């Protein structure tokens, strides 16, 4: 970062921070397949050749965290990610895998494209997609009367496949809580773009986002979303400084 | 290659329309029968039940562990994705891998029960048993005010897909373990 008071993240700093966070995401996601016993095989583990692929991703993630061979490891992580996309005929874990692949793609382009301009363009695209991800999620909820009334969130708890325990289904019987929670989520997601205009509001919004994703992980089992989305935060932190400069010059 | 490009484009240009509409939710249920004769289905030895039913509660320690390491829940969520593909495509080719993946899980679960209990409540080995699974969609009944039908909890269940049955002996038997088949969630 440049200076201890400005809290502006340089492009190089944003790249490095992204490498660390997406490296951690890779380790987390892939370790579940290397060490987990959730597969429908005799041992409960992945078939040998795919376990080797996941072990390679764990290694790539560790190297990225420590800043070793990052250009090569990013490409390896992206290539194995595409292989897994084909294996599962789509993302294994939905939005988390999509965001991780998007981060790896933009990171690889930023690392390998010639010249800073193209690298910054690729990395800026990631920042824009992160903002859109929150705003669009909020918009589709705002225009749905079931979300405005809290009924949609009640349905998520009442009969969707997401709640991690049957005890959580009791939350579907609390209409006031559901309506407040729904408007809290809608408000946060729609207001997210406005947080870019100052550094404190941006960092505050990112902190709230971390809490939001962690809550989803605890309640709905979506643990991969936490690091997947967090790995895109440095890109926005860096990019928002350019946005503020543009708006202040208008 | 074209298939991979088709899968990769939504990554580059995502829609981000999370939970825009809460669709009916699929549940995977399975049963075990004695092998039938002449193409007929045999008698039920294990009635229809949900594959990997959700636990009643999750402790704080387990919840915190799952923040970092959560293979079983993530695999269950992938099975939901497989079920959704079957609902959309039925027995058409795009859902073939999804059907095989669900069948493998059912076979593994039942195979463990046979290996650990010496049978599924009766003295049967895998050679004489067949398995079958179905997809049941769960949705809110009517307008949710209790007057639109549905069961006691205001939900309606509709079977939308049923697989052909297959012999359990066609899958390798898992090693004997000291875990009941419904102890899936305690293995994290």
């Amino acid at each position: 970062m440049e200076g201890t008071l400005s809290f502006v993240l340089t492009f190089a700093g944003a790249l490095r921070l992204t490498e660390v966070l997406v490296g951690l995401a890779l380790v987390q996601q892939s370790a579940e397949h290397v060490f987990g016993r959730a597969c429908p095989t005799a041992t409960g583990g992945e078939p040998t050749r795919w376990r080797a692929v996941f072990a390679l991703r764990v290694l790539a993630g560790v190297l990225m965290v420590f800043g070793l061979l990052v250009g090569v490891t990013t490409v390896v992580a992206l290539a194995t990610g595409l292989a897994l996309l084909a294996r599962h005929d789509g993302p294994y874990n939905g939005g988390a895998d999509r965001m991780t692949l998007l981060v790896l793609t933009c990171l690889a382009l930023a690392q390998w494209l010639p010249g800073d301009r193209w690298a910054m363009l690729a990395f800026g695209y990631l920042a824009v997609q992160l903002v859109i991800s929150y705003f669009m999620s909020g918009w589709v909820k705002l225009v749905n009367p079931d979300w405005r009334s809290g009924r949609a969130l009640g349905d998520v708890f009442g009969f969707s496949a997401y709640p991690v325990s049957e005890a959580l289904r009791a939350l579907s019987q609390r209409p006031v809580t559901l309506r407040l929670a729904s408007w809290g989520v809608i408000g946060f997601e729609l207001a997210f773009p406005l947080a870019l205009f100052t550094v404190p509001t941006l960092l505050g919004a990112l902190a709230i986002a971390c809490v939001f994703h962690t809550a989803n992980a605890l309640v709905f089992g979506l643990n991969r979303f936490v690091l997947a989305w967090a790995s895109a935060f440095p890109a926005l932190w860096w990019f928002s400084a350019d946005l503020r400069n543009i708006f202040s010059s208008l | 290659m074209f298939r991979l490009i088709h899968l990769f484009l939504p990554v580059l240009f995502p829609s981000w329309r999370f939970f825009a509409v809460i669709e009916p939710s699929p549940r995977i249920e399975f049963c075990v029968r004695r092998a039938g004769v002449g193409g007929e289905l045999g008698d039920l030895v294990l009635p229809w039940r949900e594959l990997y039913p959700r636990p009643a509660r999750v402790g704080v320690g387990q919840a915190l562990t799952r923040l970092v390491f959560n293979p079983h829940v993530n695999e269950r969520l992938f099975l939901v994705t497989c079920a959704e593909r079957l609902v959309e495509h039925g027995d058409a080719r795009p859902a073939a891998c999804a059907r095989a993946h669900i069948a493998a899980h059912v076979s593994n679960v039942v195979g463990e029960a046979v290996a650990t209990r010496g049978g599924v409540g009766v003295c049967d080995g895998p050679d004489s048993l067949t398995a079958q699974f179905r997809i049941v969609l769960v949705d809110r009944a009517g307008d949710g005010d209790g007057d639109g039908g549905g069961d006691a909890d205001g939900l309606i269940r509709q079977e939308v897909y049923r697989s052909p049955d297959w012999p359990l002996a066609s899958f390798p038997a898992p090693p004997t373990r000291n875990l009941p088949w419904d102890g899936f969630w305690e293995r994290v």
Side-chain angles (χ1 to χ4, degrees):
Chain A
M1 289 187 292
E2 288 178 343
T4 56
L5 295 179
S6 64
F7 296 107
V8 172
L9 193 59
T10 63
F11 181 62
L15 278 181
R16 185 69 201 107
L17 206 48
T18 301
E19 290 160 3
V20 171
L21 290 170
V22 80
L24 289 173
L26 278 177
V27 171
Q28 179 197 43
Q29 295 168 11
S30 305
E32 289 184 355
H33 293 272
V34 175
F35 303 109
R37 290 294 178 265
C39 284
T41 61
T43 61
E46 288 273 1
T48 302
R49 68 178 186 276
W50 286 107
R51 183 177 288 192
V53 171
F54 286 113
L56 183 62
R57 286 169 68 79
V58 171
L59 177 62
V62 171
L63 291 173
M64 289 173 77
V65 169
F66 290 103
L68 303 171
L69 303 173
V70 287
V72 172
T73 52
T74 305
V75 171
V76 167
L78 181 58
T80 52
L82 293 175
L84 291 170
L85 196 67
R87 181 204 187 196
H88 298 120
D89 205 25
Y92 174 79
N93 200 243
D97 284 1
R98 282 208 174 106
M99 178 56 95
T100 302
L101 272 174
L102 180 63
V103 172
L104 288 170
T105 302
C106 295
L107 191 60
L109 289 172
Q111 289 167 342
W112 288 96
L113 284 174
D116 280 352
R117 172 180 285 188
W118 290 109
M120 289 182 179
L121 196 63
F123 212 50
Y125 180 74
L126 176 60
V128 170
Q129 282 296 339
L130 178 66
V131 175
I132 293 174
S133 75
Y134 288 113
F135 183 80
M136 189 54 65
S137 294
W139 180 256
V140 297
K141 293 181 179 77
L142 181 69
V143 299
N144 185 339
D146 282 348
W147 270 105
R148 296 198 301 268
S149 67
R151 173 174 283 182
L153 189 57
D155 288 347
V156 171
F157 282 107
F159 64 81
S160 82
Y162 291 103
V164 296
S165 70
E166 288 298 325
L168 285 171
R169 298 214 183 275
L171 290 173
S172 64
Q173 304 304 314
R174 297 190 175 185
V176 175
T177 303
L178 292 171
R179 182 178 289 220
L180 286 174
S182 297
W183 277 103
V185 171
I186 292 170
F188 162 69
E189 290 180 332
L190 285 178
F192 189 85
L194 300 176
L196 303 182
F197 289 106
T198 72
V199 174
T201 55
L202 173 64
L203 296 181
L206 296 181
I208 294 173
C210 285
V211 172
F212 171 67
H213 291 300
T214 302
N216 286 337
L218 289 170
V219 174
F220 300 129
L222 302 174
N223 69 316
R224 296 186 182 190
F225 277 68
V226 181
L227 280 173
W229 252 257
S231 64
F233 288 175
L236 184 60
W237 187 351
W238 157 73
F239 187 69
S240 65
D242 285 346
L243 280 179
R244 286 191 294 274
N245 289 338
I246 290 170
F247 280 106
S248 65
S249 65
L250 289 176
Chain B
M1 177 56 74
F2 290 116
R3 180 68 186 154
L4 185 59
I5 293 172
H6 175 74
L7 293 173
F8 189 51
L9 282 177
V11 171
L12 289 183
F13 307 106
S15 71
W16 302 127
R17 300 173 66 86
F18 293 122
F19 292 105
V21 176
I22 309 303
E23 302 282 355
S25 180
R27 300 284 189 274
I28 302 171
E29 298 178 352
F30 71 97
C31 71
V32 178
R33 304 172 187 275
R34 285 199 179 86
V37 178
E40 298 291 321
L41 291 175
D43 297 332
L44 274 175
V45 295
L46 193 65
W48 290 102
R49 62 186 57 199
E50 187 176 354
L51 180 67
Y52 304 142
R54 206 163 274 99
R57 280 186 154 67
V58 172
V60 173
Q62 198 172 24
L64 292 175
T65 302
R66 288 178 178 181
L67 268 181
V68 180
F69 188 72
N70 198 23
H72 290 82
V73 173
N74 285 321
E75 179 68 12
R76 179 171 64 79
L77 291 175
F78 180 62
L79 284 172
V80 172
T81 300
C82 292
E84 289 169 347
R85 287 177 190 165
L86 274 174
V87 171
E88 181 181 355
H89 298 289
D91 283 323
R93 192 174 170 205
C97 289
R99 185 174 61 248
H101 195 71
I102 294 173
H105 270 276
V106 170
S107 294
N108 209 49
V109 161
V110 178
E112 279 196 11
V114 170
T116 58
R117 298 181 180 179
V120 192
V122 295
C123 296
D124 288 308
D127 291 345
S128 62
L129 299 175
T130 65
Q132 193 177 27
F133 74 85
R134 66 186 182 189
I135 309 295
V136 175
L137 287 183
V138 181
D139 196 2
R140 173 169 28 101
D143 56 7
D145 293 334
D147 56 354
D151 52 20
D153 51 8
L155 300 176
I156 54 175
R157 292 173 169 79
Q158 180 189 8
E159 179 181 319
V160 295
Y161 173 84
R162 185 175 289 204
S163 76
D165 63 329
W166 70 92
L168 286 173
S170 62
F171 283 85
T176 301
R177 287 193 262 191
N178 262 343
L179 294 168
W181 69 271
D182 55 359
F184 180 78
W185 294 108
E186 280 67 47
R187 285 184 229 155
V188 173

